[in-house]
Every structure is written in C-alpha cells, then in structure tokens.
Amino acid sequence: MASNEDTQPVAIGPQPSQVTDTERLQKLNTDLENIPLFMTHLPTDDTNPAVEALKSLISEEAPEDMAQKFKTEGNTSFHRKRYDQAVAHYTHALSFDHDNNELKVSLFTNRAAANLELHNYARVLEDCKSALQIKSNTPKALFRAARACIMVGKFDEADE
C-alpha cells in the first residue's frame, strides 16, 4: 500500500469482495436454474428461450421420423456391441405412435437381436411374438425366437 503523511493509506491492486460465499452460491444456483440441463422443474411460463427451443425440437418431427432416428441410434449401438444401449434405443423408438408396420416389425426384431446377445431369452420371445403378430412369417422373428427357445432348452417350441 502506498502512503502519504497527510492522507490515508491507499490500497493498490484488487480489493477483497464484499460478497459472501453464501451469496455467491445462491447466485450460482439461481443462474443454473435457468439452464435446462440443471433445472429441477420446468418453468410454467414461456420466458426461458432455451426451454422453448428444446420444446420446439421435440414437437417438430413426425413420430415415425423420431422412431426411425432412434432405430438408427440402436443400430449404431448394436454394431458397436453396446447391446444394452441398443435395447434402450429400440425401446424408445417403439414408444412413438405411427402406422408404419414395417418399421415396428424391424424394431421388434432388432430389439430381439440385442436381447439375444444379452441372453434375455424371455424378452427375445416377447419381441418376436410382437413382430409376428404384426406380420406373420417374418424370417428374422422366427429365427430369433427359435434360437431363444433352443438356448433355454425348449426344443419342441423351437420347431413351431
């Protein structure tokens, strides 16, 4: 600090903040609450542009297109041998309501393939049954169901 005989000492450099740690933490929490990733609840008004942008992304695409995107993600995960992720993507794709039965059959048979790799044979059979209810004689569904039956020792059912 510089000093002169006739004046008070003058501080040089940055001064300590008058804001307490508690106040800083409260401000940080308030700022984070405005970022969608850190929100603990959605705002009821339409004042947050980030939230509105995310909402518009969700609602702009047709359900069939969204299902197709998640199918593609599932296929990528499957080829990377991340079968649990593939199952999650196919499951999410199946949650979209659309009329494309070919896509639905493909999603069920793909999820069955991932579950076959995970040794979830009961789920394989459920998915194959769902695929066959939409389109009978689907080769992939028949083949995967037969493999699952063989793996659990249900040889008679594998013939059917």
Side-chain angles (χ1 to χ4, degrees):
M1 286 195 239
S3 175
N4 189 332
E5 294 176 15
D6 296 334
T7 62
Q8 294 292 329
V10 177
I12 299 175
Q15 300 299 310
S17 173
Q18 301 300 319
V19 179
T20 66
D21 287 341
T22 303
E23 291 170 326
R24 279 192 199 113
L25 186 58
Q26 287 173 341
K27 178 162 178 8
L28 177 63
N29 283 336
T30 301
D31 290 344
L32 286 175
E33 272 293 318
N34 290 321
I35 300 171
L37 179 64
F38 300 104
M39 289 180 171
T40 55
H41 63 281
L42 287 175
T44 54
D45 57 0
D46 296 338
T47 59
N48 189 314
V51 172
E52 293 309 306
L54 288 173
K55 284 181 184 177
S56 72
L57 286 175
I58 292 170
S59 62
E60 284 181 9
E61 295 196 43
E64 183 178 337
D65 294 336
M66 292 299 294
Q68 186 62 49
K69 282 186 178 186
F70 281 100
K71 177 188 175 195
T72 301
E73 290 293 320
N75 292 346
T76 300
S77 294
F78 186 90
H79 291 297
R80 291 182 179 162
K81 299 184 188 279
R82 295 180 182 158
Y83 304 117
D84 55 339
Q85 289 179 4
V87 167
H89 289 304
Y90 297 136
T91 300
H92 196 185
L94 284 162
S95 71
F96 292 97
D97 187 29
H98 58 83
D99 296 325
N100 185 337
N101 285 339
E102 289 296 320
L103 178 57
K104 289 177 186 176
V105 168
S106 178
L107 290 167
F108 281 120
T109 57
N110 287 3
R111 188 169 69 177
N115 274 315
L116 199 55
E117 295 296 330
L118 293 169
H119 309 285
N120 296 330
Y121 303 119
R123 291 186 181 149
V124 172
L125 293 173
E126 289 172 12
D127 283 342
C128 290
K129 182 179 177 182
S130 295
L132 292 168
Q133 286 174 341
I134 296 169
K135 183 179 177 188
S136 62
N137 296 323
T138 302
K140 287 181 180 181
L142 293 168
F143 175 73
R144 291 175 183 148
R147 279 189 60 197
C149 286
I150 290 168
M151 295 305 290
V152 296
K154 295 183 177 181
F155 301 108
D156 293 337
E157 289 182 34
D159 276 344
E160 296 173 16

